Amino acid sequence: LFPLLPDSLNASMLARVGLRFPKGVRTFAKLPSTKEEWKKILTTPAPNAPPARGSKYAGMTVNAAYHLKALDPVRNDFKYLGKVFKDPRTLEAVKNGQGTTNDFVNDMNVMFQASQASKAELAKLEGKEKAAVVKALGKYPALNPLSASLLGSFKDEGVVEEIPAIAEEVQKLIGKVLKEVNVEIVGAAPLTDKQKAQILSVIQKYVDSDSKLLLSEKTDTSLIAGFQLLIEDRFVDLSAKKSLDTLMSKIPA
């Protein structure tokens, strides 16, 4: 959120961030009240998180979320924000908006609450006054205070178009902080629960004992037999297709 870090923090930005969050927000550790406190949580690295590769905003978001004990709600919020700001209509609405930054944050908060309502409920709200809509949606969780504050700061900094990229990196960095290891198994046929448990038990030996393995599974019949593993960015091919391809490559043409 600031042009230079950590030595030349933008004082006006520090003065603004944290001042705007809607009523009814989910509770978490109290937002900082001084520029010094904001500087500390934004620039003190969260454990296990590597430096942000693409965006300083993502790194600062995760740092603050960790120190304010808000990793889970911020992760959820940015998953939504990343999706909604990929929609050109959202960006166009922001570009043409005439309201203040607070208006922008409040409107995004209402959109977030609306995303949790059923289609039937939203249909009933069509054509009603804005105040009535806001009141009806008030029963749903709002954006976390930190998410709302950062969202307003992104608006002030003119980086709203970067939110999808920021959100994507936030997800990755939070995964690192929580020591999550993504494991994808691609099998020639669906694996049994016992087979998957055996594979995960082997993988667990090669990662930190407190790491959390997140398993996803796909089927690819072209593998013939066996399976392929993608552990974060490491690829292991234990399929029959790999063995066959290797064998065929050694047969003279």
Side-chain angles (χ1 to χ4, degrees):
L1 306 179
F2 316 100
L4 298 174
L5 285 174
D7 298 325
S8 302
L9 293 175
N10 184 310
S12 62
M13 178 62 71
L14 283 172
R16 290 196 301 270
V17 74
L19 298 180
R20 56 176 92 79
F21 53 92
K23 295 180 180 179
V25 292
R26 286 164 284 165
T27 57
F28 73 134
K30 184 179 179 181
L31 283 173
S33 57
T34 67
K35 292 185 292 185
E36 289 73 21
E37 290 174 347
W38 272 109
K39 176 180 178 180
K40 182 177 180 179
I41 68 165
L42 288 166
T43 61
T44 302
N48 307 316
R53 294 181 179 180
S55 171
K56 62 183 179 183
Y57 305 106
M60 287 187 287
T61 295
V62 174
N63 291 343
Y66 172 78
H67 294 296
L68 294 179
K69 299 177 172 43
L71 286 173
D72 286 338
V74 167
R75 174 185 245 183
N76 182 60
D77 292 347
F78 273 76
K79 182 178 181 180
Y80 166 78
L81 293 173
K83 180 179 179 180
V84 76
F85 278 97
K86 283 183 179 179
D87 190 330
R89 295 172 297 179
T90 303
L91 295 175
E92 188 66 20
V94 173
K95 180 180 178 181
N96 296 330
Q98 300 298 317
T100 65
T101 297
N102 283 340
D103 294 331
F104 162 71
V105 173
N106 289 334
D107 287 345
M108 291 307 306
N109 190 64
V110 173
M111 286 180 61
F112 178 69
Q113 291 173 309
S115 71
Q116 302 167 66
S118 67
K119 291 183 179 179
E121 186 174 3
L122 293 177
K124 293 179 181 180
L125 295 175
E126 287 186 8
K128 290 192 175 184
E129 295 291 332
K130 182 176 180 179
V133 173
V134 172
K135 182 178 180 180
L137 295 175
K139 63 183 178 182
Y140 294 106
L143 291 168
N144 182 271
L146 177 61
S147 301
S149 294
L150 294 173
L151 184 59
S153 297
F154 295 160
K155 173 69 162 56
D156 290 338
E157 287 286 285
V159 295
V160 168
E161 292 184 356
E162 298 178 27
I163 288 179
I166 294 171
E168 182 177 355
E169 190 161 6
V170 163
Q171 301 300 322
K172 294 178 181 179
L173 291 176
I174 288 179
K176 294 295 184 182
V177 173
L178 297 177
K179 304 193 76 172
E180 296 174 346
V181 178
N182 292 291
V183 178
E184 181 179 283
I185 300 177
V186 182
L191 300 177
T192 65
D193 290 341
K194 182 178 180 180
Q195 289 173 321
K196 287 184 281 189
Q198 290 174 333
I199 293 172
L200 291 178
S201 66
V202 172
I203 296 173
Q204 190 71 63
K205 296 178 182 179
Y206 295 93
V207 298
D208 292 340
S209 60
D210 58 346
S211 294
K212 181 180 180 181
L213 301 183
L214 302 181
L215 176 65
S216 61
E217 184 182 7
K218 294 181 180 179
T219 300
D220 182 356
T221 55
S222 71
L223 298 182
I224 306 174
F227 57 88
Q228 296 174 332
L229 284 176
L230 182 62
I231 308 171
E232 291 294 334
D233 57 353
R234 298 181 181 180
F235 180 71
V236 180
D237 194 338
L238 300 174
S239 68
K241 182 178 184 301
K242 170 66 178 301
S243 300
L244 179 61
D245 290 344
T246 301
L247 177 62
M248 293 301 291
S249 69
K250 295 180 179 180
I251 298 177

